[in-house]
Amino acid sequence: MYEILMMWDWLGFAIRWLHVITAMAWIGSSFYFIALDLGLRKAPNLPVGAHGEEWQVHGGGFYHIRKYLVAPAEMPEHLIWFKWESYTNWLSGFALLMVVYWVGGELYLIDQAKAELTLWQGIAISAASLSVGWLIYDRLCKSGLAARPTLLMVLLFGLLVVMGYGLNQVFTGRAMMLHLGAFTATIMTANVFFIIMPNQRIVVADLQAGRTPDAKYGKIAKLRSTHNNYLTLPVIFLMLSNHYPLAFASDYNWLIAALVFLMGVTIRHYFNTKHAGTGNPTWTWLATVLLFLGVIILSTLGLEHQGEEADNSAALTGTALKMAQADGFEEVHEIVLGRCSMCHSREPFWDGIRTAPKAVLLETEADLARQAKAVFLHAGLTDAMPPANVTFMEPEDRAAIRRWFTKAGM
């Protein structure tokens, strides 16, 4: 079983690595083209249909770039499409969602204290949440609101806030943040797949057939691309949030997410305005700082500890119950109490630690049963924990953890 567990963990690592790489490629190209689009300048010798041009220098060479509002008079021989960065990023993210939150749903996805759901029900809600918001958003964009982009953005913000609040009623805080990010990323990729790319194909087909392309397709694609631009930074925050309990383990995590979306708007507004050469909106700095202070304040509210009885109100089921009944559980619990619980407790007493790292609690028997896989990987199979072995966990202790995990049939 060691080999299976190690392979599964490495699979998760490989998918996460791919997800980060493709995110860098997608976000990088997205930011580049927004900055390029805003930095275009008029010139007297522009070809018919060209909106503007820009000279750039990079890597020792000069680049001369022109943009056509609709399309050039003739189809270019070599045309590069930017789409697979987005598609691969979403596909790798979806794979990571399944590996971490569907297979590990008993621990990471469902919060039995919020809603008594079976694993398959939680997975069904998880999958549905990725599509329902896109359908609502797409309908709004195709309505008359497309001519009122500011109002449309406000309604999109409201949709995201409602989605965050709703997800928080059934999922763990960690899963809520992740799913809100995945939901937003789904909107962004669906914009590329269902709107931007098809519209560009229509323009290309018109050029190849000798027809004059309709300018409306470019305008529609530009609206969706602008939305993607403003949503990018919040998505990054939400994806990183699972590493920071102060973000996801707060009673007001859905409000924290809402403020982060507003921060994404203020930050991107500053850079978009600068790149367009239309001003220097330094007020966005103060607005961003105030929003971030609001995030910090919300993260500290509602952290009153509810005690062991409340924390263990949900009965152990499935894998956690199996781990609690395995031979050696009591021995391992004593080891974890002595070596790990000073940090991983509801009120840590290790100097400098205010909340349990990663929100992982190892104080009670129920805590250990629920975190069995993490304890095995980090303190049994490897010596990642305790950090630098500051509590002097002995090789015999690690061997006991491995024996317990093996006897449970894992």
Side-chain angles (χ1 to χ4, degrees), residues 291-302:
L291 288 169
F292 192 62
L293 287 176
V295 167
I296 295 173
I297 293 172
L298 287 173
S299 71
T300 61
L301 298 178

Side-chain angles (χ1 to χ4, degrees), residues 73-314:
E74 297 181 0
M75 181 68 183
E77 182 178 352
H78 299 289
L79 184 63
I80 298 175
W81 296 77
F82 289 85
K83 56 181 180 179
W84 284 109
E85 298 91 340
S86 174
Y87 299 165
T88 310
N89 184 243
W90 188 90
L91 290 171
S92 60
F94 185 66
L96 192 60
L97 175 72
M98 291 190 291
V99 168
V100 176
Y101 287 91
W102 289 10
V103 176
E106 292 179 347
L107 178 61
Y108 295 115
L109 180 63
I110 303 169
D111 189 338
Q112 295 290 345
K114 295 178 180 178
E116 295 183 3
L117 299 174
T118 62
L119 181 56
W120 75 265
Q121 289 173 326
I123 293 174
I125 295 173
S126 170
S129 70
L130 301 183
S131 57
V132 64
W134 156 253
L135 297 175
I136 298 173
Y137 161 78
D138 186 54
R139 179 57 56 187
L140 290 173
C141 287
K142 291 178 178 177
S143 69
L145 290 169
R148 305 175 67 185
T150 301
L151 177 59
L152 182 57
M153 283 290 286
V154 171
L155 291 176
L156 174 58
F157 173 71
L159 174 62
L160 292 167
V161 174
V162 170
M163 180 64 74
Y165 177 81
L167 291 172
N168 196 48
Q169 304 311 303
V170 293
F171 289 164
T172 64
R174 186 196 304 262
M176 181 279 291
M177 287 286 206
L178 190 283
H179 277 76
L180 187 59
F183 159 68
T184 307
T186 298
I187 288 179
M188 296 169 66
T189 297
N191 275 339
V192 176
F193 186 81
F194 292 112
I195 304 299
I196 297 174
M197 291 306 300
N199 285 4
Q200 289 179 338
R201 291 191 187 99
I202 292 173
V203 172
V204 169
D206 285 341
L207 282 174
Q208 292 174 333
R211 298 186 298 266
T212 301
D214 193 329
K216 72 175 184 180
Y217 296 111
K219 293 180 180 178
I220 294 172
K222 179 65 182 300
L223 175 67
R224 303 298 183 104
S225 180
T226 301
H227 290 171
N228 284 5
N229 176 249
Y230 280 100
L231 291 173
T232 299
L233 295 181
V235 167
I236 296 174
F237 180 97
L238 293 168
M239 295 308 180
L240 292 175
S241 68
N242 69 97
H243 298 287
Y244 297 92
L246 282 175
F248 70 76
S250 165
D251 289 347
Y252 302 97
N253 46 24
W254 63 279
L255 281 177
I256 289 176
L259 295 186
V260 169
F261 279 109
L262 294 179
M263 289 171 61
V265 172
T266 57
I267 294 172
R268 289 310 306 162
H269 178 70
Y270 173 78
F271 284 102
N272 290 344
T273 304
K274 287 283 290 183
H275 291 153
T278 56
N280 185 25
T282 53
W283 62 267
T284 57
W285 299 4
L286 177 60
T288 304
V289 170
L290 291 176
L291 288 169
F292 192 62
L293 287 176
V295 167
I296 295 173
I297 293 172
L298 287 173
S299 71
T300 61
L301 298 178
L303 289 180
E304 296 80 5
H305 301 289
Q306 299 175 357
E308 291 184 9
E309 182 177 352
D311 287 314
N312 293 279
S313 58

